[in-house]
Amino acid sequence: MKQTRAVLSLVNIKDTVSHIYQGLHCLLVLSGTLNILQNDCQYHLTVDDMTAINPAQLCVLSGDPSALVLSLQIPEEFLKENCRELYHTVVCCNSSDAEMRDNEYFYELKRCMVMMKVAESEKEYGYQLQMQILLLRLLQILYIHFGAEQVSSLAAEVKTKDRTLEEILSYLQTAYHQDFTVQEIAPRFYMSPNYFSKYFKRHVGMSFHDSAEALDKILTWQPELEFVQIQFN
């Protein structure tokens, strides 16, 4: 069953974890530091930094022992139903980026996330409606002030190929303990080794070799996470 509700979680990230989410994912660092490897770029987030990760983007998160993050996952189905414009927009939102640091709307985004957490904790009359309003306000800010580009018809076509990418990643997760090469895995997905390497690099943001090494470390990791999950329509 597809996730249709936004989920707000308080997460203690103590090690490295792989991340690919079919929706928009906002992260606000409350304590410690968080490193994000995404599309061959590494970002270093400290206290009060936040970022938004676009749907279906593979990234690697790693935090120090004190890294506490407020995580807001907004599923694809929710975006389609409630904010179709944002669903068709690529968001560029990372307060650790020097070119974006001075954007005054970061404060408003962080305020929305924190106020959602406060509303859930206090559970006063009408708190769910308040959380819904704050969520829609956050989406509005992301669309108006952080939307980088509308997804072109070509990008939309590429997005339909995510099913193949999901099958590849699923296979890697189930067979990560095996040693295999591009020459061995490419025929499983009816691709030549050369085309598979280019396809994987384009859609995942890192080479197949680097990703296999990362998965080997990531999927043997036993996370110690503290979750406070909030689901709302």
Side-chain angles (χ1 to χ4, degrees):
M1 181 180 295
K2 289 186 177 181
Q3 183 184 357
T4 59
R5 297 181 177 185
V7 177
L8 188 66
S9 305
L10 193 61
V11 185
N12 183 216
I13 300 177
K14 297 181 179 179
D15 213 316
T16 303
V17 61
S18 176
H19 173 90
I20 184 166
Y21 177 61
Q22 298 298 326
L24 187 65
H25 193 179
C26 299
L27 300 167
L28 171 60
V29 180
L30 302 179
S31 67
T33 61
L34 180 67
N35 294 308
I36 301 178
L37 178 62
Q38 180 181 6
N39 296 330
D40 288 335
C41 295
Q42 186 161 348
Y43 304 101
H44 181 72
L45 279 65
T46 57
V47 175
D48 209 33
D49 275 335
M50 78 161 292
T51 190
I53 301 171
N54 287 286
Q57 285 197 342
L58 177 66
C59 63
V60 178
L61 309 177
S62 60
D64 63 29
S66 63
L68 186 64
V69 177
L70 188 58
S71 162
L72 175 62
Q73 292 183 319
I74 308 166
E76 185 179 43
E77 292 302 313
F78 184 95
L79 292 173
K80 288 180 181 178
E81 183 177 346
N82 298 280
C83 192
R84 186 166 292 273
E85 297 87 353
L86 184 60
Y87 174 71
H88 292 292
T89 300
V90 175
V91 172
C92 289
C93 175
N94 188 337
S95 65
S96 70
D97 189 321
E99 295 182 1
M100 300 186 195
R101 193 181 303 276
D102 295 332
N103 191 320
E104 61 186 278
Y105 289 96
F106 273 119
Y107 172 80
E108 186 66 15
L109 288 176
K110 291 183 281 189
R111 175 185 168 277
C112 287
M113 291 184 67
V114 171
M115 290 305 295
M116 276 190 268
K117 181 66 180 75
V118 171
E120 188 280 334
S121 299
E122 296 180 348
K123 288 185 170 58
E124 295 183 353
Y125 181 75
Y127 79 94
Q128 289 183 319
L129 177 59
Q130 181 184 1
M131 292 175 68
Q132 182 82 347
I133 292 170
L134 288 165
L135 175 60
L136 293 176
R137 171 58 177 158
L138 179 142
L139 294 176
Q140 180 190 39
I141 295 169
L142 285 174
Y143 175 67
I144 295 175
H145 301 287
F146 294 92
E149 57 182 285
Q150 299 295 323
V151 177
S152 65
S153 58
L154 176 60
E157 180 182 348
V158 169
K159 191 168 185 178
T160 64
K161 299 179 182 178
D162 282 349
R163 202 170 291 112
T164 300
L165 180 60
E166 288 178 3
E167 291 175 0
I168 293 173
L169 294 175
S170 177
Y171 177 79
L172 290 177
Q173 290 177 355
T174 57
Y176 75 93
H177 57 284
Q178 302 177 18
D179 291 327
F180 44 71
T181 65
V182 172
Q183 287 74 18
E184 293 169 334
I185 195 173
R188 291 179 175 270
F189 301 96
Y190 308 100
M191 301 180 190
S192 69
N194 185 50
Y195 180 82
F196 178 89
S197 296
K198 292 180 179 179
Y199 175 91
F200 195 90
K201 174 76 172 180
R202 182 170 69 249
H203 291 284
V204 174
M206 64 178 72
S207 70
F208 174 78
H209 175 74
D210 291 342
S211 178
E213 286 190 345
L215 281 170
D216 186 53
K217 296 177 181 179
I218 291 163
L219 295 173
T220 56
W221 169 64
Q222 298 297 321
E224 297 179 14
L225 301 178
E226 297 176 4
F227 285 105
V228 180
Q229 291 198 341
I230 310 153
Q231 293 191 345
F232 48 97
N233 292 320

